[in-house]
Amino acid sequence: MSDVLTHSIVEAGRWIDAQGWCPATGGNFSARIDATSAWVTASGRHKGELTPYDLLQVDLHGQAINSVLKPSAETLLHTALYALDTNIGAVLHTHSIASTVLSRLETSNTLALNGYEMQKSLSGNSTHDAALAIHIFDNTQDMQALAQQLKNTWARSPLQWGFLVRGHGLYAWGKDMVEAKRHLEGLEFLFACERDMMLLKK
């Protein structure tokens, strides 16, 4: 077992749990091992109480490799991201209040962000003046279908930093776990701001 990668997932789980972004056993995390496989959290594990034994290796079709553990339901979205972009090294899926509520308040399939200094937490951004777009997918229990929607959307225009699933939560990624955590934290802050602004306007 790769100590560095599995430790990074375990530590991310404790940090994310401390923020209140993954209540109960929600969410799932992963880290790329190589071009054909990744570590992913097993189904039904509380993310603040993870150990390396709560992780399993999967191929990029989401199938377990030499493990009796069951991958999280959304593993196919993680592996789709790894297949779509070889630069992605870690993926974090959270169920925060801000991302869940905001994804329902925004009725279009894109959340527009601009004017926030925190946009600079997202790789490639150096100013608050940039107009950023975060894609929102409708929720479904059919992960095969959702993974295909992700691939189709990506083919038209590759997504950056993360996307939302309506009424469900956020997927954020980065070249490694450090960057994935930064993108997650930056996006969660931006979403909380947008949610509050929407509610205050009502």
Side-chain angles (χ1 to χ4, degrees), residues 9-18 21-29 40-51 54-55 72 74 93-95:
I9 296 174
V10 169
E11 287 303 306
R14 292 173 182 165
W15 171 70
I16 289 168
D17 178 58
W21 293 340
C22 265
T25 59
N28 35 75
F29 316 140
V40 66
T41 47
S43 180
R45 280 9 184 223
H46 191 288
K47 303 311 178 293
E49 301 171 0
L50 292 174
T51 75
D54 297 311
L55 311 176
S72 290
E74 292 92 350
H93 169 45
T94 52
H95 290 197

Side-chain angles (χ1 to χ4, degrees), residues 17-92:
D17 178 58
Q19 314 310 311
W21 293 340
C22 265
T25 59
N28 35 75
F29 316 140
S30 67
R32 182 194 291 275
I33 297 171
D34 52 34
T36 62
S37 65
W39 290 114
V40 66
T41 47
S43 180
R45 280 9 184 223
H46 191 288
K47 303 311 178 293
E49 301 171 0
L50 292 174
T51 75
Y53 298 101
D54 297 311
L55 311 176
L56 68 151
Q57 188 176 356
V58 296
D59 63 25
L60 295 195
H61 300 289
Q63 298 300 308
I65 299 174
N66 299 322
S67 177
V68 298
L69 296 177
K70 178 184 177 183
S72 290
E74 292 92 350
T75 294
L76 285 177
L77 296 180
H78 292 249
T79 56
L81 287 165
Y82 292 130
L84 287 165
D85 188 345
T86 58
N87 292 313
I88 294 176
V91 180
L92 300 170

Side-chain angles (χ1 to χ4, degrees), residues 14-184:
R14 292 173 182 165
W15 171 70
I16 289 168
D17 178 58
Q19 314 310 311
W21 293 340
C22 265
T25 59
N28 35 75
F29 316 140
S30 67
R32 182 194 291 275
I33 297 171
D34 52 34
T36 62
S37 65
W39 290 114
V40 66
T41 47
S43 180
R45 280 9 184 223
H46 191 288
K47 303 311 178 293
E49 301 171 0
L50 292 174
T51 75
Y53 298 101
D54 297 311
L55 311 176
L56 68 151
Q57 188 176 356
V58 296
D59 63 25
L60 295 195
H61 300 289
Q63 298 300 308
I65 299 174
N66 299 322
S67 177
V68 298
L69 296 177
K70 178 184 177 183
S72 290
E74 292 92 350
T75 294
L76 285 177
L77 296 180
H78 292 249
T79 56
L81 287 165
Y82 292 130
L84 287 165
D85 188 345
T86 58
N87 292 313
I88 294 176
V91 180
L92 300 170
H93 169 45
T94 52
H95 290 197
S96 72
I97 293 173
S99 65
T100 304
V101 171
L102 182 60
S103 70
R104 297 191 67 185
L105 289 173
E106 176 57 61
T107 56
S108 73
N109 64 2
T110 304
L111 172 68
L113 298 169
N114 62 78
Y116 293 106
E117 186 71 10
M118 189 56 69
Q119 291 173 206
K120 297 194 300 188
S121 67
L122 306 176
S123 295
N125 288 288
S126 59
T127 175
H128 66 283
D129 288 328
L132 309 184
I134 304 299
H135 195 82
I136 305 175
F137 294 97
D138 287 332
N139 196 16
T140 175
Q141 300 306 302
D142 187 342
M143 288 302 114
Q144 292 275 4
L146 190 52
Q148 189 59 53
Q149 289 181 47
L150 170 61
K151 293 172 187 177
N152 294 343
T153 300
W154 199 285
R156 293 191 296 270
S157 180
L159 305 182
Q160 299 184 72
W161 318 296
F163 62 81
L164 287 163
V165 179
R166 204 177 308 280
H168 188 156
L170 166 66
Y171 286 81
W173 57 83
K175 64 184 178 183
D176 53 27
M177 189 61 76
V178 171
E179 185 173 76
K181 287 169 64 178
R182 189 180 81 242
H183 289 166
L184 174 67

